[in-house]
Amino acid sequence: MKLLIAFSLLLVLTVFQEHISCFSLNLPASPGYYQDGDFVIGGFFSLRASAEDTRIRRFGFTNINRIPEYVHFYLTKHYQHMLAMVFAIEKINKDPDILFNMSLGFYLFNIDFLEMKAVESSMALLSGESPPVPNYSCRPEKTDKLVAVIGGISTGISTQISRVLSLYNVPQISYAPFDQSLGTRVQLQSPYQFPVHTTALYQGIIQLLLYFSWVWVGLVISDDMKGELFLRDITEEMKNHGLCVAFAQKVPEIPAEDTVNKLFYERFTLTCVIVVFGDSYSLLVFVDNTIHYRTFHNVWITTSDWDLTMFTFYRNNTLLTFGGLSFSLHVDDILGFKDFQASVQPSKYPHDIFIQEVWSILFECPEIDQPGVMKRSQCEQNGSLSTRPFHDWNMNTSHYSYKVHAAVHAIAQALHEELSLRVEGDSHDKSVLQASLPWKLHSFLQKGQLGRSTNEGNVVNKEVSATKLDILNYQSLPSGTEAQVKVGEFVFESHSVQHLSLNDKLINWGKYHKKTPVSVCSHSCSLGFRKAPVEGKPFCCFDCFPCPDGEIANETDMDLCIKCPEDQYPNKQRNQCLPKVTTFLSHEDTLGAVLASVAISLAAFSAMILGLFIHYRDTPIVRANNRNLSYLLLVSLMLCFFCSLLFIGQPSTVTCVLRQVIFGVVFSVAVSAILAKTFIVVVAFKAIKPGSTLRMWMVTQLSNAIVCCGSLIQVCICAVWLGTYPPFPDVDMQSEFGQIILWCNEGSTLAFYCVLGYLGFLSSLSLLIAFLARRLPDSFNEAKTITFSMLVFCSVWISFVPAYLSSKGKTMVAVEILSILASSSTLLGCIFLPKCYVILLRSGGDSRKNLFK
């Protein structure tokens, strides 16, 4: 009995000491918005920039009431997050099928965007008072009912909230993405969060850039770990897809004054399209500088976290100078939430200390007399949020509001499941259901779609089948109202399964762009040109050079030109390969027809001279130099002329073999005949001397021997040529542009030049002997004419060699034909025309007595 009394006294003293500690501090009432219930859910929201923030001090605003209008967007649209929680709790309290007809309450705090204020408010939530009293529960009627907490808006704030709540194992759901690796490691536990969609956002931005061919893009990111990770990941993805970063600009919290001009005048002019990553708070300084320096010529690609429409600074359509597209997670409107927002008024929620300031800003009420108290007589108390401009209030459910609403339902569902386990039979005794311990909800929260960050920094989420992102464009509608118009969507399931759909006609690009803007470092290389990288610049910057000969570029921005197949050639624009035309030196060609006509004419002329010689075969001038050799020479020259016809026409195996063999043999016969005639001239003069030993050579066999031996050697050379590597028909695809030339390949080049060399040897020998015999006295002495003819003959074939080697295709064939005709006509003209002149015009000189003058 004494022990029981002692224990009771100790308990009373403990409670008394606790109350003495609380009341002795004379603490003011909590600054939060409290509504009682059987269970209480805490909420931490960031409604406005605080005067304690260094970012605000950077602008010189030390009094919160003097913050410019564009900063107060935190008190308007962010207030919807709080309303979403209130709406969800009211809806749950009206549902008798959940929580066994027990009610939910809430305890809401505005922590601005300060991590220190998040810690203070977390402790105030647990102690029931502000300033908080650690390890004391000054208002147990509030703190003992706490089951879970929703908040905050950033990883840093969520981390600080979790540090406090984890000491008491209170569940926390962060309605904004939370990444433990971005901040200090959270101790004990990390907050729950809904599935994140970072990969889908990256891929959506990449696909949008590819859709509009924006390959030269600037990046503006917040100067924190979140911005660093975005910069690393998006840069890698852009590089993998052939996109380049024109610049990457971090927005510091407090930039130096001398860097502002460089930031907003030099770098922003490098590209037309800029991707902005960060929330409206972290980019507050960036927005201020953008407004101040009016850099509106760029097209901005953002996320819904950075909401340009919140800046009431842009009025009278000034905001339309911004052209931009925003990615927002697709969420369905919460049923009844728009009507709820329209019904919200200060009179409906008199205990809501936050609505007073929101109302004063949205409805432009006069200055506040006291904190939280408006001049009601001068403010529109019966106004509706639905009447506010779009840049002040958006009736559509934001993705943050949607997550807050879903978080309340997740907590209610987990609490309902936990209470169900405590119900015994059909008993609904409230004493059984009250005093639920917060830590018991963890196992039930983990069954839903919520995920948590592990100690290794990885986020464990439930499976998500697909992520749908809406693509929004801020516009001024014809009705005069403002709205974010949905112009497309991006559905992401995996890297291999994704789809982007856009309606270009719905997009408003702003004042400075009447059509889809272009954002490239270098303009595309057109067809027929290839890209050449510029040293020291990204691969998106390049010069354009025309494709080299024989190559094409049939697509724009090709790195390498494509070589045409051998049977095709590039057109003049070098963007298409065309079939080559097959050609050869034919009789239909002008050159071929002329050469053929000349060859036939010369052959006919040779035949006429041969007939003339036969007719005057008994005259002394014909008999003087062995008329049989003259006949043989004329026939061989005639065959030489006809031989050139084999070079005209489409080459075949037969013509290729015959043209070279006949050419070599017939010419060797002709030159051998000339050599024999030269020997006869020398022998003739030696023979008239009595007792000469050369008299035996004055026989016909001498000439026959010279001709046969000279020709036989050439025949042997040709036989070896044909037996080893004979000529064959071939094609030449390179010599003439756009043409495939059919020609005869000599086969063995050595054998070909041996034939020419042997002819050169015979002609040189003839030239030498004729030159030595040129001064012998004789009216019919052929030595002089043979000397001149062989001199021209040798000159022609010496010139033939370089001309032949330097020519290709039809020109090469024409060179050989011209050499044959020129050399043959030289022999014909120099040797036989003088004799024809004597025969026809000086018949008196053709007598035996003039032979030895």
Side-chain angles (χ1 to χ4, degrees), residues 180-256:
Q180 184 169 297
S181 64
L182 297 179
T184 306
R185 187 173 295 275
V186 180
Q187 298 178 0
L188 299 179
Q189 72 179 27
S190 60
Y192 295 95
Q193 64 173 320
F194 291 94
V196 295
H197 309 278
T198 306
T199 303
L201 175 62
Y202 292 167
Q203 294 300 319
I205 293 175
I206 295 298
Q207 294 303 317
L208 181 67
L209 297 177
L210 293 175
Y211 180 86
F212 289 112
S213 299
W214 291 333
V215 297
W216 187 240
V217 181
L219 299 178
V220 174
I221 59 174
S222 55
D223 191 9
D224 51 26
M225 284 299 298
K226 190 175 182 181
E228 289 284 352
L229 291 180
F230 173 81
L231 177 61
R232 182 196 66 187
D233 296 339
I234 199 69
T235 301
E236 182 179 355
E237 286 293 333
M238 290 176 65
K239 185 177 181 180
N240 294 337
H241 289 81
L243 307 175
C244 293
V245 178
F247 65 87
Q249 180 63 53
K250 299 178 182 178
V251 179
E253 293 187 0
I254 308 178

Coordinates of all heavy atoms in Angstrom, one line a residue, residues 180-256:
Q180 N 18.3 11.2 -50.7 CA 19.1 11.2 -49.5 C 20.6 11.5 -49.9 O 21.3 12.1 -49.1 CB 19.1 9.9 -48.8 CG 19.9 9.8 -47.5 CD 19.6 8.6 -46.7 OE1 18.4 8.4 -46.3 NE2 20.5 7.7 -46.5
S181 N 21.0 11.2 -51.1 CA 22.4 11.4 -51.5 C 22.7 12.9 -51.8 O 23.8 13.3 -51.9 CB 22.7 10.6 -52.8 OG 21.9 11.1 -53.9
L182 N 21.6 13.7 -51.9 CA 21.8 15.1 -52.2 C 22.2 15.9 -51.0 O 22.7 17.0 -51.1 CB 20.6 15.7 -52.8 CG 20.1 15.1 -54.1 CD1 18.9 15.8 -54.6 CD2 21.2 15.3 -55.2
G183 N 21.9 15.4 -49.8 CA 22.2 16.2 -48.6 C 22.9 15.4 -47.6 O 23.5 14.3 -47.8
T184 N 22.9 15.9 -46.3 CA 23.5 15.1 -45.2 C 22.8 13.8 -45.0 O 21.5 13.8 -45.1 CB 23.5 16.0 -44.0 OG1 24.1 17.3 -44.3 CG2 24.3 15.3 -42.9
R185 N 23.5 12.8 -44.7 CA 22.8 11.5 -44.5 C 21.8 11.5 -43.4 O 22.1 12.0 -42.3 CB 23.9 10.4 -44.2 CG 23.3 9.0 -44.2 CD 24.4 8.0 -44.0 NE 25.3 8.1 -45.2 CZ 25.0 7.4 -46.3 NH1 23.9 6.6 -46.4 NH2 25.8 7.5 -47.4
V186 N 20.6 11.1 -43.7 CA 19.5 11.1 -42.7 C 19.7 10.0 -41.7 O 20.0 8.9 -42.1 CB 18.2 11.0 -43.4 CG1 17.0 11.0 -42.4 CG2 18.0 12.1 -44.4
Q187 N 19.6 10.3 -40.4 CA 19.8 9.3 -39.4 C 18.5 8.6 -39.1 O 17.4 9.2 -39.1 CB 20.4 10.0 -38.1 CG 21.7 10.7 -38.4 CD 22.2 11.4 -37.1 OE1 21.5 11.3 -36.1 NE2 23.4 12.0 -37.2
L188 N 18.6 7.4 -38.8 CA 17.5 6.5 -38.3 C 16.5 6.2 -39.4 O 16.4 5.0 -39.8 CB 16.8 7.1 -37.1 CG 17.7 7.3 -35.9 CD1 16.9 8.0 -34.8 CD2 18.3 6.0 -35.4
Q189 N 15.9 7.1 -40.0 CA 14.9 6.8 -41.1 C 14.8 8.0 -42.0 O 15.2 9.1 -41.7 CB 13.5 6.5 -40.4 CG 12.8 7.8 -39.9 CD 11.5 7.5 -39.3 OE1 11.2 6.4 -38.9 NE2 10.6 8.5 -39.3
S190 N 14.3 7.7 -43.2 CA 14.1 8.7 -44.2 C 12.7 8.8 -44.6 O 11.9 7.8 -44.3 CB 14.9 8.4 -45.5 OG 14.5 7.1 -46.0
P191 N 12.2 9.9 -45.1 CA 10.7 10.0 -45.3 C 10.3 9.2 -46.5 O 11.0 8.8 -47.4 CB 10.6 11.5 -45.7 CG 12.0 11.9 -46.2 CD 12.9 11.1 -45.4
Y192 N 9.0 8.9 -46.5 CA 8.4 8.2 -47.6 C 8.2 9.2 -48.7 O 8.1 10.4 -48.5 CB 7.0 7.6 -47.2 CG 7.1 6.5 -46.1 CD1 7.0 6.8 -44.8 CD2 7.3 5.2 -46.5 CE1 7.1 5.8 -43.8 CE2 7.4 4.2 -45.6 CZ 7.3 4.5 -44.2 OH 7.4 3.5 -43.3
Q193 N 8.1 8.7 -49.9 CA 7.8 9.6 -51.0 C 7.1 8.8 -52.1 O 7.2 7.5 -52.2 CB 9.1 10.2 -51.6 CG 10.1 9.2 -52.1 CD 11.2 10.0 -52.8 OE1 11.1 11.0 -53.5 NE2 12.4 9.4 -52.6
F194 N 6.5 9.5 -53.0 CA 5.8 8.9 -54.2 C 6.9 8.6 -55.2 O 8.0 9.2 -55.2 CB 4.7 9.8 -54.7 CG 3.5 9.9 -53.7 CD1 3.5 10.9 -52.8 CD2 2.5 8.9 -53.8 CE1 2.4 11.0 -52.0 CE2 1.5 9.0 -52.9 CZ 1.4 10.0 -52.0
P195 N 6.6 7.7 -56.2 CA 7.6 7.4 -57.2 C 8.1 8.7 -57.9 O 7.3 9.6 -58.3 CB 6.8 6.5 -58.2 CG 5.7 5.9 -57.4 CD 5.3 7.0 -56.3
V196 N 9.4 8.7 -58.1 CA 10.0 9.9 -58.8 C 10.1 9.5 -60.3 O 10.1 8.4 -60.7 CB 11.4 10.2 -58.2 CG1 11.3 10.6 -56.8 CG2 12.3 8.9 -58.3
H197 N 10.1 10.6 -61.1 CA 10.1 10.4 -62.6 C 11.2 11.2 -63.2 O 11.0 11.8 -64.3 CB 8.7 10.9 -63.1 CG 7.6 10.3 -62.4 ND1 7.1 9.1 -62.7 CD2 6.8 10.8 -61.3 CE1 6.0 8.8 -61.9 NE2 5.9 9.8 -61.1
T198 N 12.4 11.1 -62.6 CA 13.5 11.9 -63.2 C 13.9 11.4 -64.5 O 14.2 12.2 -65.4 CB 14.7 11.8 -62.2 OG1 14.3 12.2 -60.9 CG2 15.9 12.6 -62.7
T199 N 14.0 10.1 -64.7 CA 14.4 9.5 -66.0 C 13.4 9.9 -67.1 O 13.8 10.3 -68.2 CB 14.5 8.0 -65.9 OG1 15.4 7.6 -64.9 CG2 14.9 7.4 -67.2
A200 N 12.1 9.9 -66.8 CA 11.1 10.3 -67.8 C 11.3 11.7 -68.1 O 11.2 12.1 -69.3 CB 9.7 10.0 -67.2
L201 N 11.6 12.6 -67.2 CA 11.8 14.0 -67.4 C 13.0 14.2 -68.3 O 12.9 15.0 -69.3 CB 12.0 14.8 -66.1 CG 12.3 16.2 -66.3 CD1 11.2 17.0 -67.0 CD2 12.6 16.9 -64.9
Y202 N 14.1 13.5 -68.1 CA 15.3 13.7 -68.9 C 15.0 13.2 -70.3 O 15.3 14.0 -71.3 CB 16.4 12.8 -68.4 CG 17.0 13.2 -67.0 CD1 17.9 12.4 -66.3 CD2 16.7 14.5 -66.5 CE1 18.4 12.8 -65.1 CE2 17.2 14.9 -65.3 CZ 18.1 14.1 -64.6 OH 18.6 14.5 -63.4
Q203 N 14.3 12.1 -70.5 CA 14.0 11.6 -71.8 C 13.0 12.5 -72.5 O 13.1 12.7 -73.7 CB 13.5 10.2 -71.7 CG 14.5 9.1 -71.3 CD 15.8 9.1 -72.2 OE1 15.6 9.1 -73.4 NE2 16.9 9.0 -71.6
G204 N 12.1 13.1 -71.8 CA 11.1 14.0 -72.4 C 11.8 15.2 -73.0 O 11.5 15.7 -74.1
I205 N 12.7 15.8 -72.2 CA 13.5 16.9 -72.7 C 14.3 16.6 -73.9 O 14.3 17.3 -74.9 CB 14.4 17.5 -71.5 CG1 13.5 18.0 -70.4 CG2 15.3 18.6 -72.1 CD1 14.3 18.5 -69.2
I206 N 15.0 15.4 -73.9 CA 15.8 15.0 -75.0 C 14.9 14.8 -76.2 O 15.3 15.3 -77.3 CB 16.5 13.7 -74.7 CG1 17.5 13.9 -73.5 CG2 17.2 13.2 -75.9 CD1 18.6 14.9 -73.9
Q207 N 13.8 14.2 -76.1 CA 12.9 13.9 -77.3 C 12.3 15.2 -77.8 O 12.1 15.4 -79.0 CB 11.8 13.0 -76.9 CG 12.3 11.6 -76.6 CD 13.1 10.9 -77.7 OE1 12.7 11.1 -78.9 NE2 14.2 10.3 -77.4
L208 N 12.1 16.2 -76.9 CA 11.5 17.5 -77.4 C 12.6 18.2 -78.2 O 12.3 18.8 -79.2 CB 11.1 18.3 -76.2 CG 10.5 19.7 -76.5 CD1 9.2 19.5 -77.2 CD2 10.3 20.5 -75.2
L209 N 13.8 18.2 -77.7 CA 14.9 18.8 -78.4 C 15.1 18.2 -79.8 O 15.3 18.9 -80.8 CB 16.2 18.8 -77.6 CG 16.2 19.5 -76.2 CD1 17.5 19.3 -75.5 CD2 15.9 21.0 -76.4
L210 N 15.0 16.9 -79.8 CA 15.2 16.2 -81.1 C 14.0 16.5 -82.0 O 14.2 16.6 -83.3 CB 15.3 14.7 -80.8 CG 16.6 14.2 -80.1 CD1 16.5 12.7 -79.8 CD2 17.8 14.5 -80.9
Y211 N 12.9 16.6 -81.5 CA 11.7 16.8 -82.3 C 11.8 18.2 -83.1 O 11.5 18.2 -84.3 CB 10.4 16.9 -81.4 CG 9.1 17.1 -82.1 CD1 8.4 16.1 -82.7 CD2 8.6 18.4 -82.3 CE1 7.2 16.3 -83.4 CE2 7.4 18.6 -82.9 CZ 6.7 17.6 -83.5 OH 5.6 17.8 -84.2
F212 N 12.3 19.2 -82.4 CA 12.5 20.5 -83.1 C 13.9 20.7 -83.6 O 14.2 21.8 -84.1 CB 12.1 21.6 -82.1 CG 10.7 21.7 -81.7 CD1 10.2 21.4 -80.4 CD2 9.8 22.1 -82.6 CE1 8.9 21.5 -80.1 CE2 8.4 22.2 -82.3 CZ 8.0 21.9 -81.0
S213 N 14.7 19.7 -83.6 CA 16.1 19.8 -84.1 C 16.9 20.9 -83.4 O 17.7 21.6 -84.0 CB 16.1 20.0 -85.6 OG 15.5 18.9 -86.2
W214 N 16.6 21.0 -82.1 CA 17.4 22.0 -81.3 C 18.6 21.3 -80.8 O 18.6 20.5 -79.7 CB 16.6 22.5 -80.1 CG 15.4 23.4 -80.6 CD1 15.3 24.1 -81.7 CD2 14.2 23.6 -79.9 NE1 14.1 24.8 -81.7 CE2 13.4 24.5 -80.6 CE3 13.7 23.1 -78.7 CZ2 12.2 24.9 -80.2 CZ3 12.4 23.6 -78.3 CH2 11.7 24.5 -79.1
V215 N 19.7 21.4 -81.4 CA 21.0 20.7 -81.1 C 22.0 21.6 -80.3 O 23.0 21.1 -79.8 CB 21.6 20.2 -82.4 CG1 20.7 19.2 -83.1 CG2 22.0 21.3 -83.3
W216 N 21.7 22.8 -80.2 CA 22.6 23.8 -79.5 C 21.8 24.4 -78.4 O 21.1 25.4 -78.6 CB 23.1 24.8 -80.5 CG 24.2 25.7 -80.1 CD1 24.1 27.1 -80.0 CD2 25.5 25.4 -79.6 NE1 25.3 27.6 -79.6 CE2 26.2 26.6 -79.3 CE3 26.2 24.2 -79.4 CZ2 27.5 26.6 -78.8 CZ3 27.5 24.2 -78.9 CH2 28.1 25.4 -78.7
V217 N 22.0 23.9 -77.2 CA 21.1 24.3 -76.1 C 21.9 24.7 -74.9 O 23.0 24.2 -74.5 CB 20.2 23.1 -75.7 CG1 19.3 23.4 -74.6 CG2 19.5 22.5 -76.9
G218 N 21.4 25.8 -74.2 CA 22.0 26.2 -73.0 C 21.3 25.6 -71.8 O 20.1 25.2 -71.8
L219 N 22.0 25.5 -70.7 CA 21.5 24.9 -69.4 C 21.6 25.9 -68.3 O 22.7 26.5 -68.1 CB 22.2 23.6 -69.1 CG 22.1 22.5 -70.1 CD1 23.0 21.3 -69.5 CD2 20.7 22.0 -70.3
V220 N 20.6 26.2 -67.6 CA 20.6 27.0 -66.4 C 20.1 26.1 -65.2 O 19.0 25.6 -65.3 CB 19.7 28.2 -66.5 CG1 19.6 29.0 -65.2 CG2 20.2 29.1 -67.6
I221 N 20.9 25.9 -64.2 CA 20.6 25.0 -63.1 C 20.8 25.7 -61.8 O 21.5 26.7 -61.7 CB 21.4 23.8 -63.2 CG1 22.9 24.1 -63.1 CG2 21.1 23.0 -64.4 CD1 23.8 22.9 -63.0
S222 N 20.2 25.2 -60.8 CA 20.4 25.8 -59.4 C 21.7 25.3 -58.9 O 22.2 24.2 -59.3 CB 19.3 25.3 -58.5 OG 19.2 23.9 -58.5
D223 N 22.3 26.1 -58.1 CA 23.7 25.8 -57.6 C 23.6 25.0 -56.4 O 23.9 25.5 -55.3 CB 24.4 27.2 -57.4 CG 25.9 26.9 -57.1 OD1 26.4 25.8 -57.3 OD2 26.6 27.9 -56.7
D224 N 23.2 23.7 -56.6 CA 23.1 22.8 -55.4 C 23.4 21.4 -56.0 O 23.6 21.2 -57.2 CB 21.8 22.9 -54.7 CG 20.6 22.8 -55.7 OD1 20.8 22.2 -56.8 OD2 19.5 23.3 -55.4
M225 N 23.3 20.4 -55.1 CA 23.6 19.1 -55.5 C 22.6 18.5 -56.5 O 22.9 17.8 -57.4 CB 23.7 18.1 -54.3 CG 24.9 18.2 -53.5 SD 26.4 17.8 -54.5 CE 26.0 16.1 -54.9
K226 N 21.3 19.0 -56.4 CA 20.3 18.5 -57.3 C 20.6 19.0 -58.7 O 20.4 18.3 -59.7 CB 19.0 19.0 -56.8 CG 17.8 18.5 -57.5 CD 16.5 18.9 -56.9 CE 15.3 18.3 -57.6 NZ 14.0 18.8 -57.0
G227 N 21.0 20.3 -58.8 CA 21.4 20.8 -60.1 C 22.6 20.2 -60.6 O 22.7 20.0 -61.9
E228 N 23.6 19.8 -59.8 CA 24.8 19.1 -60.3 C 24.4 17.7 -60.9 O 25.0 17.4 -61.9 CB 25.8 18.9 -59.1 CG 26.5 20.2 -58.6 CD 27.6 20.6 -59.6 OE1 27.9 19.8 -60.5 OE2 28.1 21.7 -59.4
L229 N 23.6 17.0 -60.2 CA 23.2 15.7 -60.8 C 22.4 15.8 -62.1 O 22.6 15.1 -63.0 CB 22.3 15.0 -59.7 CG 23.0 14.5 -58.5 CD1 22.1 13.8 -57.5 CD2 24.2 13.6 -58.8
F230 N 21.5 16.9 -62.1 CA 20.8 17.1 -63.4 C 21.8 17.4 -64.5 O 21.7 16.9 -65.6 CB 19.8 18.2 -63.2 CG 19.1 18.6 -64.5 CD1 18.1 17.9 -65.0 CD2 19.6 19.7 -65.2 CE1 17.5 18.3 -66.2 CE2 19.0 20.1 -66.4 CZ 17.9 19.4 -66.9
L231 N 22.8 18.3 -64.2 CA 23.7 18.7 -65.2 C 24.5 17.5 -65.7 O 24.8 17.3 -66.9 CB 24.7 19.7 -64.7 CG 25.8 20.2 -65.6 CD1 25.2 20.8 -66.8 CD2 26.7 21.2 -64.8
R232 N 24.9 16.6 -64.8 CA 25.7 15.4 -65.2 C 24.9 14.5 -66.1 O 25.3 14.0 -67.1 CB 26.2 14.7 -63.9 CG 27.0 13.5 -64.2 CD 27.1 12.6 -62.9 NE 25.8 12.0 -62.6 CZ 25.5 11.4 -61.5 NH1 26.5 11.2 -60.6 NH2 24.3 10.9 -61.2
D233 N 23.7 14.2 -65.6 CA 22.8 13.2 -66.4 C 22.3 13.8 -67.7 O 22.4 13.1 -68.7 CB 21.7 12.8 -65.5 CG 22.1 12.1 -64.2 OD1 23.2 11.6 -64.2 OD2 21.3 12.1 -63.2
I234 N 21.9 15.0 -67.7 CA 21.3 15.5 -69.0 C 22.4 15.8 -70.0 O 22.2 15.6 -71.2 CB 20.5 16.8 -68.7 CG1 19.6 17.1 -69.9 CG2 21.5 18.0 -68.5 CD1 18.4 16.2 -70.0
T235 N 23.6 16.1 -69.5 CA 24.7 16.3 -70.5 C 25.1 15.0 -71.1 O 25.3 14.9 -72.3 CB 25.9 16.9 -69.7 OG1 25.6 18.2 -69.1 CG2 27.1 17.1 -70.7
E236 N 25.1 13.9 -70.3 CA 25.4 12.6 -70.9 C 24.4 12.2 -71.9 O 24.7 11.7 -73.0 CB 25.6 11.6 -69.8 CG 25.9 10.2 -70.2 CD 26.1 9.2 -69.1 OE1 26.0 9.7 -67.9 OE2 26.3 8.1 -69.3
E237 N 23.1 12.4 -71.5 CA 22.0 12.0 -72.5 C 22.0 12.8 -73.7 O 21.8 12.3 -74.8 CB 20.7 12.2 -71.8 CG 20.4 11.1 -70.7 CD 20.2 9.8 -71.3 OE1 19.7 9.7 -72.5 OE2 20.4 8.8 -70.6
M238 N 22.3 14.1 -73.6 CA 22.4 15.0 -74.8 C 23.5 14.5 -75.7 O 23.4 14.5 -77.0 CB 22.6 16.4 -74.4 CG 21.4 17.0 -73.7 SD 21.7 18.7 -73.1 CE 21.9 19.6 -74.7
K239 N 24.7 14.2 -75.2 CA 25.8 13.7 -76.0 C 25.4 12.4 -76.7 O 25.8 12.2 -77.8 CB 27.0 13.5 -75.1 CG 28.3 13.2 -75.9 CD 29.5 13.1 -74.9 CE 30.7 12.7 -75.7 NZ 31.9 12.6 -74.8
N240 N 24.7 11.5 -76.0 CA 24.4 10.2 -76.6 C 23.4 10.4 -77.8 O 23.3 9.6 -78.6 CB 23.7 9.3 -75.5 CG 24.7 8.9 -74.5 OD1 26.0 8.9 -74.7 ND2 24.3 8.5 -73.3
H241 N 22.7 11.5 -77.8 CA 21.7 11.8 -78.8 C 22.1 12.8 -79.8 O 21.3 13.3 -80.6 CB 20.3 12.2 -78.2 CG 19.6 11.1 -77.5 ND1 19.9 10.7 -76.2 CD2 18.6 10.2 -77.9 CE1 19.1 9.7 -75.8 NE2 18.3 9.4 -76.8
G242 N 23.4 13.2 -79.8 CA 23.9 14.1 -80.8 C 23.6 15.6 -80.5 O 23.5 16.4 -81.4
L243 N 23.3 15.9 -79.2 CA 23.0 17.3 -78.8 C 24.2 17.9 -78.1 O 24.9 17.2 -77.4 CB 21.7 17.3 -78.0 CG 20.5 16.6 -78.6 CD1 19.3 16.6 -77.6 CD2 20.1 17.3 -79.9
C244 N 24.3 19.2 -78.1 CA 25.4 19.9 -77.5 C 25.0 20.9 -76.5 O 23.9 21.5 -76.7 CB 26.3 20.6 -78.6 SG 27.1 19.4 -79.7
V245 N 25.8 21.1 -75.5 CA 25.5 22.1 -74.5 C 26.3 23.4 -74.9 O 27.5 23.4 -74.9 CB 26.0 21.6 -73.1 CG1 25.8 22.7 -72.0 CG2 25.2 20.3 -72.7
A246 N 25.5 24.4 -75.2 CA 26.2 25.7 -75.5 C 26.8 26.3 -74.3 O 28.0 26.8 -74.4 CB 25.1 26.6 -76.1
F247 N 26.2 26.2 -73.2 CA 26.8 26.7 -71.9 C 26.0 26.0 -70.8 O 24.8 25.6 -71.0 CB 26.8 28.2 -71.8 CG 25.4 28.8 -71.7 CD1 24.7 28.9 -70.5 CD2 24.7 29.2 -72.9 CE1 23.4 29.4 -70.5 CE2 23.5 29.7 -72.8 CZ 22.8 29.8 -71.6
A248 N 26.6 25.9 -69.7 CA 25.9 25.4 -68.4 C 26.2 26.5 -67.4 O 27.3 26.6 -66.9 CB 26.5 24.1 -68.0
Q249 N 25.1 27.2 -67.0 CA 25.2 28.3 -66.0 C 24.5 27.9 -64.7 O 23.3 27.6 -64.7 CB 24.6 29.5 -66.6 CG 24.6 30.7 -65.6 CD 26.1 31.1 -65.4 OE1 26.8 31.4 -66.3 NE2 26.4 31.2 -64.1
K250 N 25.3 27.9 -63.7 CA 24.7 27.7 -62.3 C 24.3 29.0 -61.8 O 25.0 30.0 -61.9 CB 25.8 27.0 -61.4 CG 26.3 25.7 -61.9 CD 27.3 25.1 -60.9 CE 27.8 23.8 -61.4 NZ 28.9 23.3 -60.5
V251 N 23.1 29.0 -61.1 CA 22.6 30.2 -60.5 C 23.0 30.2 -59.1 O 22.4 29.5 -58.3 CB 21.1 30.3 -60.7 CG1 20.6 31.6 -60.1 CG2 20.8 30.3 -62.2
P252 N 23.9 31.0 -58.6 CA 24.3 31.0 -57.2 C 23.3 31.7 -56.4 O 22.5 32.5 -56.9 CB 25.6 31.8 -57.2 CG 25.5 32.7 -58.4 CD 24.8 31.9 -59.4
E253 N 23.3 31.4 -55.1 CA 22.3 32.1 -54.2 C 22.5 33.6 -54.2 O 21.6 34.4 -54.2 CB 22.4 31.5 -52.8 CG 22.0 30.1 -52.7 CD 21.9 29.6 -51.3 OE1 22.2 30.4 -50.4 OE2 21.6 28.4 -51.1
I254 N 23.8 34.0 -54.1 CA 24.1 35.4 -54.0 C 25.2 35.7 -55.0 O 26.4 35.6 -54.8 CB 24.6 35.8 -52.6 CG1 23.6 35.4 -51.5 CG2 24.8 37.3 -52.5 CD1 24.0 35.7 -50.1
P255 N 24.9 36.0 -56.3 CA 25.9 36.2 -57.3 C 26.5 37.6 -57.1 O 26.0 38.5 -56.6 CB 25.0 36.2 -58.6 CG 23.7 36.7 -58.2 CD 23.5 36.1 -56.8
A256 N 27.8 37.6 -57.5 CA 28.5 38.9 -57.5 C 27.9 39.9 -58.5 O 27.5 39.5 -59.6 CB 30.0 38.7 -57.8

